[in-house]
Amino acid sequence: AALALLCGSAAAVVVWKWLGKRQIQKKMEEARRTRDEGVKKMEGAGNPSFWGVPSVQTDAILSLTLLELTGRLQEGSLSPKTVLCTYLEKASAFPQLTQQTNCLRHFIPECEEQLQEIRWQREKGLLYGIPVSIKDHISHKGHLSTCGLVQCLDTPVQEDSVLVKVLKRQGAIPFAMTNVPQSLFNYDCSNPIFGQTLNPLNHQKSPGGSSGGEGALIAGGGSILGIGSDIGGSIRLPSSFCGLCGLKPTAERLSVWHTRVLNMDVCSCPTPVPCALGPMARDVDSLALCMKALLCQEMFQLDPTVPPIPFDEEVYSSSAPLRVGYYDTDGYFPLPPCMRRAVWETRGALQAAGHQLVPFSPPRIHYVMTELFLKTFFADGGRTWLDAFTGGIVDPRLKPQVNCCKIPRLVKKLLALILRPLQFFLLLKFKNVATISTCRSVKEMWNHHHQIEVYRTEFIARWRELQLDVVLCPVLGPAFTAGYPGKLLTAISSTMLYNVLNFPAGVVPVSTVTEADEEELRLYRGCCDDPWDRTLKQVRKRKVAEQRLLLDAREELCLRFMKEVETLSREK
């Protein structure tokens, strides 16, 4: 009888687990079906007859820059209907963009309502009639903010995020939500619900993450302006991988109200390394126009925590010479030779243009990466992050990190004790969250916050000692082969530094990979010629993407410097 009871219990557990998995699969299938139906609606909406407008020269409209397009819309030589129709067609009806890159997460059918709404606005906003794409977790009323997680598939958002409200007030038309990596904690772009997003420039490559869907859609020509988010490089890395311009503002400069991370509102989970929302586009002027549009009274009224500081056009338009700090490596993760070459070529061009270049070395990057950045997100041993996967499926790209977080604390302590003699080597090269220390008490957490402030003070003191205006440095790139970013988590040291500092930072493409770069990469040994250096070499064997630079200062000055670099690189 006891054996029968035991067998019955075991069978019940198996059935219960099977039913749970089946329920998860149904939820995921329903989400995919809804997405696919949305894309079909999008295809229909991309047909000029749907809007009752005559056939247009699609290529002519798609070739316009954002500044040119806004000019044509403001003067009335193009209608918002025609422009929206053009971008809907490009985003949905071109198989090489939607089917092969899988960048769209959902079509926003309310774009038709917004199109009617802007007709009755008293004044044409700065983004009047501009179709805009937004990242999955930026809330839009009536739609899901999934973060690629099954537990987020049940409840549509009840209210637009502040940023979406301001975009609409400025006449923009949000028309699509784009794909993200599961939990946003990856600079690849894959989740088990909507699948892997690929780079439109080379379908073997990743578009970067976590704003990878945005990067792919804009680089593929399906959007002229997108809004991403950045907490470790999530705007800058997709911009780098996809050949775009991207800006991570200071976290407080644009509102993050009603933006969700791990099924929580960003504002409900404050962190010393905050999330920032920012624009992505094909040129720097587009970023500047977007920031100018967003930094308006509507933003300041809807979110009183945003400093009421309008965009400073005088700083952006200035031509005064700059004092520029520069470095080609942070000493933590050695970037491939082509990225360092880009820094030196740009340094020469800036110097020839009359700017003053000063060598600069960011302090203690190993300490910042392990003790400040990663410890912020795994202060509780990763428990909050692991909870996000409850009742769902973990994406294969994240399984190594998830499994490391699941190691019991006692086992981690024993491993730390055994590996203590190798502490320096681990600090230098070990790429695994299992080695990250945690905060075991509230006092330790407060001390951790204090150490971040101490580092910021140290960095600013060095900056001021050299009297710098901006800093020029490399960013991770060109694009990695899809699947490899998860194997090189801490390769993001070049971007995460400016999240810890909460400085504005931007990316602008400056060059392309040359045959000489390929040859130098063949001989590349990195720092220690260890498995991580060899992995980086494998990631980059094919010639795909452009190189980009990371530029840091306050937003207007950062954009002004990016514009200078963009102009010089185009002249070259």
Side-chain angles (χ1 to χ4, degrees):
L3 182 61
L5 181 62
L6 184 63
C7 290
S9 299
V13 169
V14 170
V15 171
W16 179 75
K17 284 188 174 182
W18 181 85
L19 288 172
K21 286 183 178 180
R22 182 64 191 141
Q23 188 65 28
I24 291 169
Q25 288 294 338
K26 281 185 176 180
K27 278 188 177 182
M28 291 167 55
E29 287 168 7
E30 175 64 19
R32 284 192 287 266
R33 185 183 64 78
T34 302
R35 188 269 307 268
D36 293 343
E37 287 176 355
V39 172
K40 286 182 180 178
K41 288 180 182 176
M42 202 175 186
E43 289 178 14
N47 189 327
S49 62
F50 178 86
W51 302 99
V53 298
S55 297
V56 295
Q57 291 182 320
T58 300
D59 291 342
I61 293 175
L62 294 173
S63 68
L64 296 173
T65 66
L66 182 61
L67 259 61
E68 291 168 341
L69 186 58
T70 53
R72 297 280 296 275
L73 285 162
Q74 295 280 351
E75 71 185 18
S77 60
L78 276 177
S79 73
K81 272 187 181 181
T82 300
V83 174
L84 178 61
C85 175
T86 299
Y87 274 95
L88 286 174
E89 182 184 22
K90 177 66 176 178
S92 63
F94 284 64
Q96 64 267 34
L97 182 56
T98 52
Q99 295 175 19
Q100 295 179 18
T101 66
N102 190 38
C103 56
L104 289 175
R105 207 274 291 158
H106 197 59
F107 168 52
I108 301 175
E110 292 86 352
C111 63
E112 186 177 357
E113 295 174 17
Q114 175 63 5
L115 193 61
Q116 300 303 321
E117 192 73 29
I118 63 175
R119 292 177 58 194
W120 306 109
Q121 289 180 351
R122 290 183 180 179
E123 296 180 6
K124 292 180 179 178
L126 291 177
L127 297 175
Y128 173 75
I130 297 297
V132 175
S133 51
I134 58 175
K135 188 175 178 178
D136 163 278
H137 73 120
I138 299 172
S139 298
H140 190 291
K141 185 179 179 180
H143 295 272
L144 297 169
S145 290
T146 72
C147 298
L149 296 164
V150 171
Q151 64 171 262
C152 297
L153 293 177
D154 295 322
T155 312
V157 172
Q158 299 301 308
E159 185 179 3
D160 284 342
S161 64
V162 167
L163 191 133
V164 168
K165 287 179 181 177
V166 177
L167 283 171
K168 290 180 177 180
R169 178 67 183 82
Q170 288 286 11
I173 305 173
F175 74 100
M177 304 183 82
T178 51
N179 203 27
V180 294
Q182 190 176 34
S183 80
L184 309 182
F185 197 75
N186 197 344
Y187 64 99
D188 204 340
C189 193
S190 171
N191 65 73
I193 305 169
F194 302 108
Q196 170 79 50
T197 298
L198 299 173
N199 195 313
L201 306 179
N202 183 321
H203 296 152
Q204 292 183 326
K205 301 292 177 178
S206 168
S210 60
S211 307
E214 280 301 315
L217 184 62
I218 298 168
S223 176
I224 195 168
L225 178 65
I227 304 296
S229 64
D230 195 310
I231 202 168
S234 294
I235 286 173
R236 291 160 288 160
L237 292 169
S239 297
S240 171
F241 282 22
C242 294
L244 303 172
C245 297
L247 175 71
K248 179 204 80 69
T250 311
E252 296 80 14
R253 195 75 196 270
L254 297 177
S255 175
V256 296
W257 278 16
H258 305 302
T259 300
R260 303 187 69 77
V261 175
L262 301 183
N263 207 22
M264 296 181 288
D265 195 295
V266 168
C267 297
S268 69
C269 46
T271 166
V273 181
C275 176
L277 301 184
M280 299 169 65
R282 296 196 291 261
D283 57 62
V284 178
D285 279 336
S286 299
L287 306 181
L289 178 62
C290 183
M291 290 298 291
K292 187 176 180 180
L294 292 172
L295 295 173
C296 63
Q297 280 304 120
E298 188 85 2
M299 173 77 75
F300 308 143
Q301 289 169 1
L302 287 170
D303 185 351
T305 67
V306 174
I309 305 171
F311 188 81
D312 193 333
E313 185 65 41
E314 187 177 344
V315 172
Y316 180 61
S317 303
S318 171
S319 58
L322 297 171
R323 187 172 168 85
V324 182
Y326 72 91
Y327 60 92
D328 66 356
T329 179
D330 61 15
Y332 181 79
F333 194 92
L335 296 175
C338 58
M339 305 308 290
R340 302 175 77 166
R341 171 181 65 80
V343 172
W344 286 95
E345 286 183 356
T346 306
R347 171 193 173 276
L350 287 166
Q351 210 158 27
H355 301 284
Q356 189 175 1
L357 277 293
V358 181
F360 177 75
S361 178
R364 301 192 292 153
I365 298 298
H366 293 83
Y367 166 76
V368 176
M369 189 69 194
T370 55
E371 290 299 315
L372 299 185
F373 180 74
L374 290 173
K375 189 173 181 178
T376 294
F377 300 103
F378 294 99
D380 62 352
R383 284 192 290 268
T384 301
W385 185 55
L386 290 176
D387 286 346
F389 301 100
T390 303
I393 297 173
V394 178
D395 189 85
R397 308 280 194 248
L398 282 180
K399 278 190 177 177
Q401 291 94 323
V402 169
N403 290 337
C404 285
C405 282
K406 286 181 176 178
I407 298 173
R409 179 174 288 184
L410 179 61
V411 176
K412 287 181 181 178
K413 286 182 177 179
L414 288 172
L415 283 172
L417 193 66
I418 294 168
L419 298 172
R420 191 175 294 251
L422 300 175
Q423 185 176 14
F424 175 76
F425 171 75
L426 290 171
L427 192 62
L428 181 67
K429 294 299 293 177
F430 202 72
K431 310 299 178 187
N432 205 313
V433 293
T435 63
I436 298 165
S437 56
T438 60
C439 294
R440 290 169 292 180
S441 67
V442 174
K443 183 179 179 181
E444 281 193 24
M445 176 62 83
W446 282 119
N447 182 60
H448 174 63
H449 286 215
H450 173 67
Q451 292 306 319
I452 289 176
E453 292 301 326
V454 168
Y455 180 79
R456 286 171 179 166
T457 303
E458 176 187 350
F459 191 97
I460 290 169
R462 184 173 294 192
W463 183 295
R464 287 177 173 167
E465 183 183 342
L466 295 173
Q467 299 180 329
L468 301 179
D469 294 312
V470 291
V471 165
L472 167 73
C473 58
V475 65
L476 185 65
F480 282 15
T481 301
Y484 273 88
K487 301 176 184 179
L488 289 166
L489 176 62
T490 50
I492 64 170
S493 61
S494 62
T495 53
M496 69 81 209
L497 172 62
Y498 299 101
N499 295 91
V500 172
L501 292 168
N502 196 17
F503 283 11
V507 168
V508 58
V510 298
S511 182
T512 54
V513 178
T514 65
E515 292 296 335
D517 292 330
E518 294 284 3
E519 180 60 24
E520 205 168 344
L521 182 63
R522 192 178 64 81
L523 304 172
Y524 174 84
R525 292 291 179 269
C527 180
C528 304
D529 196 24
D530 62 13
W532 294 282
D533 285 328
R534 290 193 287 274
T535 299
L536 181 67
K537 186 174 178 178
Q538 291 168 8
V539 161
R540 331 196 38 79
K541 279 188 177 176
R542 299 199 179 193
K543 190 164 59 172
V544 236
E546 296 174 298
Q547 300 162 11
R548 358 232 162 247
L549 300 178
L550 191 67
L551 316 162
D552 306 276
R554 68 181 187 270
E555 284 84 5
E556 292 87 344
L557 192 54
C558 180
L559 287 164
R560 181 254 155 129
F561 185 40
M562 291 169 67
K563 179 66 177 176
E564 181 84 359
V565 172
E566 181 183 60
T567 302
L568 291 172
S569 65
R570 285 178 177 177
E571 287 175 357
K572 183 186 71 173

